[in-house]
Amino acid sequence: MARKLDIRHFPGFLPITYLCLFLLYAPLIIVMIYSFNDSNSITIWGGASLRWYGEVFWGVESAKFKAAALNSITIAVMAATTATTIATLAATAMLKAGRFRGKSVSFALINLPLMVPEIVTAVATLIFFSAIGFTTGYLTILVAHIVFCIPFAYLPIAARMQGIEDVYEQVALDLYATRFQAFRLILLPLMAPGIISGFLLAFIISLDDFIITNFVKGAGIETLPTAIFGAVKQGIKPNIMAISTLLLLVSVVFVTLSYLVGRMGQNKK
Amino acid sequence: MAAQIAKKSTSNTSTYAGLGVFLMLPSWAVIGFFLVLPVGMMLIYSFLTKEFRGGVIWEFSLNAYDQFFFDRGLFGDAPPVIEWTYINIFWRSIWQAGVATFFSLLIGFPTAWFIATRTGPNKSVWLFLITIPYWVNLLIRTISMKFLIRDTGPLNEWLLSLGVISEPIHIINTSFAVQLGLFYSYLPFMVLPIYASVERYNFAYSEVAADLYASRRATLTKIIIPIVKPGIIAGCILVFVPSLGAFLAPDLLGGAKNFMIGSLIEEQFKGNAGNWPFGAAVSMILLSMVLVVLTFYARQQAKEGAR
Amino acid sequence: MLKTFKLGASILALTLAASAAHAEGKLSIYHWFEYIPQELLDKFAAEYDVEVTMDTFDSNEAMLASLKAGKMGSYDVAVPGDYMVEIMAAAGLLDTFEPSDLSNFGNIAPEWLDVSFDPGRHSSIPYQWGSTSFAVNRDVYSGDINTTSIIFDPPAALQGRINILDSQGEVLALASMHLGIPQCTTDRDQLRALNDLVQAAKPSWASFGSDIAKDVLVSGDAAVGMIWNGFSAKAREEGANIEYAFPKEGYVVWMDNVVLLKDAPNRDNALKFMNFLLEPENAAAVTNYAQYTAGVNGVAEFLDEAVVSAPELNPPAGGNGQFVMACSEDVQAVYDKIWTDLKK
């Protein structure tokens, strides 16, 4: 046992992981602290207060921000889910289906959304949508998000799939499983870490997108980023910090739930 | 031996032979219709005449590419010489993105390794831990980062009080700050793909290596890295390519005194310039550069798979 | 888990779409985010039984680009800045109306009636106006600040501590005033001088940034910041010891305007809305909210004390404020080149 641990661990990796977490979370601590700021400022401390949380829940603008947060999250979940599904199928095709027509250009095609600068995608997509008579609104945002989420889901999934030999599925096929069964019962569970990674990346890239959303959104639909960037006439107020903190809270609750569910699943076994 | 292991585990298989086209269909349809068509139109735009303050006039013109490669002086009537401005902007962006990718890998690989060697549901908790910060908008995170590292910010005060430094470190508005901005924007995009790859790593290989008295270092470089290479490459693509076009975080931290490719293109569509053909041309040049590199990589992969 | 989430989300989206209230008419506004109080929109909606939807943009140029890329016909009114009104009119994006269409037309303050960007106001009405110059931290520098030299030829104490707005139009307009040359000049020597000026000044500048213009002043990262007057007032209220300058060489004045867009789907409601905004009480509500200045007569009695007394909002008598001009295509090409060379 002792030797096994030895193999799995490299000296210095743990401190680097902590450094990584520190780098990721240090700015968030600032965000959380300043969400309790009593002043209008996001850089000067004016005493502790809950006024910005009050503003978020009961202020005049609260409805707008709530709607924006909700739009952001629903779009991110749907876009990431769809993109991850498409990417999983694509990765199976690219790595587990031998040769087929169009395979050589497919890799470039899947990664195209990554390569085109956002503002170009934004303007081009808007021109295209209006050319085909697709009215801008919730749906146009969703479609645009699905497109640019695909490579972010595809790359981790494909990276994972490259590490999976096909012996398991071959065995299943030898035991008269259909290929669909082999896919669902063998490949998918083996793929889980890649799929989760892909989904999470697609989710956060969708949640953060401003430039494309700003162009393809329609009247009355805001997402959090467009609300935050659009507030330039008034400047960023600590209410954004409060919203961000609440979002963090939501995500932590979500993670805790999924952890508990996961543990329950394990216990059952 | 390592090469063989690596080859074995990365070789392509064909369990789903014949289904490729069907499995590929959704991506082709979605990206083909909603991205290739619009971007194809942008390619055409890059060869059209600019309409003043945004838009195009449907007349063929090479002005956009001419502007990229030739300098005709402040008033556009001097004899043309080679224009270094945009090439320099490209070079700077590539360099900054490269440095950011390198640091992401340096921090991201050990982190991914650490996460992958956790057990049970802890693993997914760690994954979430890496992505949770990105629930907060990039602009807000970056402003907080700026607050943290400024000359009189908490970081400097802390280091000063510890006596580690005697003068505040000046980070804001330097090119290091630009790299930090890029690094910070895309860190999880390095960690997660590597995690997905490492998680599959069979520790028996390490045991064999240890039995054969391989050092840790040798095990890492000769066995582990070749096997998890797909994850490393995926992570590098996901950090490097978006970094090339990014500008928000690097501009906020670095002071925006110099254009990045992303801000240069942005300026053509959303700035006073309003020069769509030129913006389109710069994008197409960037796009073709990245395409060449990625295609080369895909070819290599195909060759390795065929061997 | 995901499935439930997705299902919930789609149900939600459907309900949102279906629950839109049934009102007599509609009005679609293209506006900056947080630049009009929600109460005012609600008041208009109730008064005229109109369902109001608002879409937002983050810069004049972004609005122009997205209108040109295909959003024309989806909005009734938009809120561009002064020079952008001229640009939009030239691009054929604006519709016209007659003064008689608006019963409150007479409320427009006389100085904002015959403006260069829309002489006689046939497509636009004033919304809010303000100025752009710069604010100086008085802890760092106590000399005379009412000169553009603070930006373009700064005293040693301020060098390397200046934040510039990342906005070509405003920077080059201010630079032209510093040199005493007309904006959008076609004179080559003057354009060269303009180029030399900004090139020479750049090493004294620490950063370009618009989103953070206020925050760098409040935090003290910058001792001088180019800034809009309303933001400067906010920075001061947040505790920065700064003073807003009205340079003798000149400063930029801007005015946001409500314009009637071509192909407006609800032209009548758009005119009602514009008329509504010319009501002094409503114009004052915007001013109290946004802390700029209305272009309508008779607002004084409705204004908050803080807005009336802010030094930033009250330029000195005889102040030399000028609008940013929209340059001709040739001059704009030179300006672009100057700007690119500045930031290459």
Side-chain angles (χ1 to χ4, degrees):
Chain A
M1 194 65 211
R3 226 185 91 215
K4 202 161 192 183
L5 277 174
D6 211 18
I7 296 164
R8 287 170 172 264
H9 294 282
F10 285 87
F13 277 25
L14 182 65
I16 294 179
T17 308
Y18 285 137
L19 176 67
C20 179
L21 286 180
F22 174 75
L23 286 171
L24 290 175
Y25 279 87
L28 296 189
I29 295 168
I30 303 289
V31 170
M32 285 183 211
I33 293 175
Y34 277 83
S35 71
F36 296 103
N37 193 357
D38 194 34
S39 101
N40 277 325
S41 171
I42 56 167
T43 44
I44 285 193
W45 184 250
S49 118
L50 285 173
R51 68 179 265 218
W52 295 109
Y53 287 90
E55 190 108 322
V56 169
F57 285 107
W58 299 287
V60 265
E61 306 286 331
S62 75
K64 269 190 237 169
F65 277 106
K66 274 183 212 157
L70 208 62
N71 282 337
S72 278
I73 292 178
T74 55
I75 287 172
V77 169
M78 288 192 277
T81 311
T82 317
T84 310
T85 312
I86 293 175
T88 308
L89 296 179
T92 313
M94 293 294 286
L95 296 166
K96 301 275 171 196
R99 293 179 184 282
F100 59 91
R101 275 176 83 93
K103 185 172 174 178
S104 48
V105 296
S106 291
F107 184 73
L109 188 81
I110 289 170
N111 287 298
L112 193 66
L114 205 59
M115 296 182 265
V116 185
E118 271 195 84
I119 182 73
V120 174
T121 309
V123 175
T125 308
L126 178 56
I127 295 174
F128 180 70
F129 280 161
S130 61
I132 61 171
F134 197 172
T135 323
T136 54
Y138 192 88
L139 213 57
T140 43
I141 305 179
L142 183 60
V143 168
H145 278 225
I146 290 172
V147 173
F148 72 71
C149 280
I150 289 176
F152 288 94
Y154 174 82
L155 284 167
I157 293 175
R160 171 76 179 184
M161 204 176 275
Q162 284 180 46
I164 298 177
E165 306 89 339
D166 65 347
V167 284
Y168 308 108
E169 291 151 275
Q170 292 299 341
V171 169
L173 293 183
D174 289 346
L175 296 170
Y176 302 104
T178 64
R179 286 200 287 187
F180 178 68
Q181 282 171 326
F183 178 78
R184 197 168 63 90
L185 298 172
I186 311 283
L187 189 60
L188 268 190
L190 282 172
M191 287 300 302
I195 292 176
I196 295 173
S197 298
F199 175 85
L200 286 176
L201 292 187
F203 180 81
I204 58 178
I205 204 80
S206 162
L207 203 60
D208 229 6
D209 180 75
F210 165 66
I211 297 174
I212 295 175
T213 315
N214 192 32
F215 274 78
V216 301
K217 75 194 167 77
I221 312 261
E222 296 291 338
T223 63
L224 265 187
T226 64
I228 291 169
F229 281 87
V232 286
K233 280 276 171 181
Q234 289 291 292
I236 295 159
K237 288 180 296 187
N239 67 338
I240 307 279
M241 303 296 201
I243 292 172
S244 304
T245 308
L246 289 170
L247 267 181
L248 284 176
L249 202 69
V250 170
S251 66
V252 168
V253 169
F254 182 73
V255 172
T256 317
L257 277 179
S258 74
Y259 173 77
L260 291 177
V261 169
R263 217 174 53 174
M264 262 160 42
Q266 281 224 326
N267 287 346
K268 257 184 220 158
K269 278 178 207 165
Chain B
M1 177 196 77
Q4 274 149 7
I5 297 171
K7 196 196 127 199
K8 181 168 166 275
S9 56
T10 55
S11 69
N12 293 352
T13 55
S14 47
T15 311
Y16 307 97
L19 294 177
V21 175
F22 298 103
L23 293 170
M24 225 34 229
L25 212 56
S27 345
W28 283 341
V30 172
I31 296 179
F33 191 69
F34 290 110
L35 193 68
V36 174
L37 287 183
V39 170
M41 193 188 61
M42 273 290 155
L43 177 64
I44 299 174
Y45 273 27
S46 74
F47 290 102
L48 295 177
T49 309
K50 78 162 178 175
E51 186 184 331
F52 186 38
R53 301 201 190 276
V56 288
I57 298 164
W58 284 83
E59 271 166 36
F60 178 79
S61 160
L62 282 175
N63 277 346
Y65 292 92
D66 182 278
Q67 183 182 346
F68 190 92
F69 291 108
F70 298 105
D71 180 9
R72 291 166 199 274
L74 194 55
F75 303 104
D77 52 7
V81 290
I82 298 214
E83 172 70 276
W84 289 103
T85 306
Y86 304 112
I87 296 170
N88 282 337
I89 292 173
F90 265 65
W91 172 242
R92 184 186 312 125
S93 299
I94 291 170
W95 166 250
Q96 307 281 38
V99 173
T101 310
F102 176 74
F103 280 111
S104 301
L105 184 59
L106 216 58
I107 303 262
F109 182 84
T111 307
W113 181 272
F114 178 81
I115 297 173
T117 50
R118 300 303 92 195
T119 49
N122 283 338
K123 252 185 231 177
S124 41
V125 170
W126 275 96
L127 282 191
F128 282 115
L129 272 183
I130 300 291
T131 50
I132 280 178
Y134 291 72
W135 282 59
V136 173
N137 187 272
L138 180 63
L139 182 68
I140 307 297
R141 271 185 290 131
T142 312
I143 287 177
S144 306
M145 181 61 110
K146 192 174 166 117
F147 178 88
L148 209 58
I149 61 172
R150 59 182 225 219
D151 294 358
T152 55
L155 180 72
N156 270 317
E157 275 175 14
W158 183 57
L159 290 177
L160 281 171
S161 72
L162 284 182
V164 181
I165 48 171
S166 54
E167 287 270 297
I169 318 171
H170 182 67
I171 306 174
I172 287 283
N173 302 336
T174 62
S175 71
F176 175 71
V178 173
Q179 292 148 10
L180 181 70
L182 290 173
F183 165 85
Y184 185 56
S185 303
Y186 297 108
L187 187 54
F189 298 86
M190 181 64 83
V191 176
L192 268 60
I194 298 183
Y195 157 79
S197 231
V198 170
E199 213 267 349
R200 184 73 198 133
Y201 176 70
N202 187 341
F203 285 91
Y205 297 141
S206 290
E207 263 181 76
V208 171
D211 287 345
L212 297 172
Y213 301 103
S215 68
R216 256 179 227 270
R217 198 194 160 83
T219 314
L220 183 67
T221 53
K222 296 269 168 58
I223 301 186
I224 297 173
I225 289 183
I227 290 179
V228 300
K229 202 176 88 186
I232 294 178
I233 289 173
C236 289
I237 293 176
L238 281 180
V239 174
F240 184 75
V241 178
S243 288
L244 281 180
F247 56 90
L248 178 74
D251 273 6
L252 278 178
L253 295 181
K257 291 184 84 174
N258 303 102
F259 275 125
M260 302 276 282
I261 301 177
S263 43
L264 176 70
I265 295 172
E266 171 105 352
E267 178 82 9
Q268 309 309 317
F269 289 97
K270 275 180 75 176
N272 288 59
N275 190 345
W276 289 14
F278 183 61
V282 177
S283 313
M284 291 308 144
I285 293 167
L286 173 67
L287 180 65
S288 36
M289 275 171 34
V290 181
L291 259 181
V292 166
V293 176
L294 278 193
T295 314
F296 179 74
Y297 160 70
R299 283 265 165 79
Q300 283 300 106
Q301 283 271 297
K303 261 189 213 157
E304 270 177 31
R307 233 188 290 152
Chain C
M1 184 105 180
L2 279 181
K3 256 187 195 160
T4 354
F5 221 110
K6 194 176 163 187
L7 190 70
S10 25
I11 291 172
L12 203 83
L14 284 175
T15 353
L16 280 179
S19 68
H22 285 282
E24 196 61 27
K26 292 185 176 190
L27 177 71
S28 184
I29 307 171
Y30 203 20
H31 207 328
W32 304 76
F33 194 77
E34 292 213 323
Y35 194 18
I36 186 163
Q38 184 63 39
E39 300 96 324
L40 200 60
L41 290 177
D42 295 343
K43 182 179 167 193
F44 175 78
E47 221 166 89
Y48 292 89
D49 194 20
V50 166
E51 183 196 335
V52 180
T53 50
M54 189 168 83
D55 198 5
T56 60
F57 53 83
D58 69 319
S59 76
N60 278 307
E61 286 74 18
M63 175 202 60
L64 179 70
S66 88
L67 285 176
K68 279 199 164 184
K71 281 193 174 176
M72 281 303 288
S74 12
Y75 307 112
D76 301 303
V77 293
V79 189
D82 41 83
Y83 67 100
M84 189 50 70
V85 175
E86 195 177 344
I87 291 169
M88 290 169 77
L93 303 179
L94 299 186
D95 207 349
T96 54
F97 56 83
E98 287 304 315
S100 56
D101 292 340
L102 303 175
S103 58
N104 291 331
F105 194 83
N107 291 350
I108 298 177
E111 65 268 35
W112 302 119
L113 189 59
D114 215 12
V115 284
S116 57
F117 50 86
D118 184 15
R121 293 281 182 186
H122 289 289
S123 301
S124 67
I125 59 156
Y127 186 67
Q128 296 283 300
W129 67 273
S131 62
T132 310
S133 74
F134 51 87
V136 180
N137 189 326
R138 281 315 205 167
D139 294 338
V140 178
Y141 184 71
S142 52
D144 176 27
I145 60 165
N146 286 321
T147 165
T148 44
S149 297
I150 295 282
I151 298 283
F152 297 105
D153 186 15
L158 299 174
Q159 280 174 16
R161 303 197 57 190
I162 301 173
N163 180 59
I164 298 294
L165 287 178
D166 202 354
S167 155
Q168 190 205 87
E170 281 161 320
V171 173
L172 294 185
L174 208 59
S176 299
M177 293 174 204
H178 179 73
L179 289 174
I181 60 175
Q183 286 184 52
C184 300
T185 177
T186 50
D187 183 291
R188 291 196 166 191
D189 290 333
Q190 292 182 344
L191 283 167
R192 266 186 219 109
L194 184 65
N195 188 33
D196 295 344
L197 176 71
V198 291
Q199 287 286 352
K202 188 185 177 187
S204 314
W205 298 345
S207 57
F208 290 82
S210 304
D211 294 332
I212 40 108
K214 186 186 78 182
D215 303 309
V216 289
L217 280 171
V218 176
S219 69
D221 288 345
V224 178
M226 255 184 91
I227 197 165
W228 304 313
N229 59 343
F231 267 34
S232 183
K234 280 186 183 135
R236 183 173 48 80
E237 282 160 19
E238 288 176 20
N241 181 21
I242 55 169
E243 188 177 334
Y244 184 76
F246 290 100
K248 57 181 186 293
E249 293 88 347
Y251 52 88
V252 173
V253 166
W254 53 263
M255 170 167 254
D256 289 325
N257 308 271
V258 182
V259 295
L260 181 63
L261 290 170
K262 192 153 250 172
D263 306 329
N266 313 291
R267 186 190 150 96
D268 288 348
N269 288 336
L271 290 173
K272 278 182 201 160
F273 183 64
M274 291 165 94
N275 201 39
F276 174 81
L277 287 176
L278 288 176
E279 208 60 75
E281 189 185 347
N282 300 332
V286 178
T287 298
N288 287 335
Y289 175 81
Q291 299 193 355
Y292 294 110
T293 311
V296 172
N297 282 333
V299 291
E301 56 178 306
F302 302 104
L303 291 178
D304 295 345
E305 175 53 29
V307 175
V308 177
S309 60
E312 291 84 357
L313 304 185
N314 296 291
N320 185 13
Q322 301 171 26
F323 283 120
V324 172
M325 281 170 61
C327 300
S328 69
E329 188 165 359
D330 293 340
V331 176
Q332 186 59 47
V334 181
Y335 269 35
D336 288 342
K337 181 101 176 123
I338 292 175
W339 191 248
T340 312
D341 283 346
L342 181 65
K343 296 187 70 179
K344 74 180 173 193

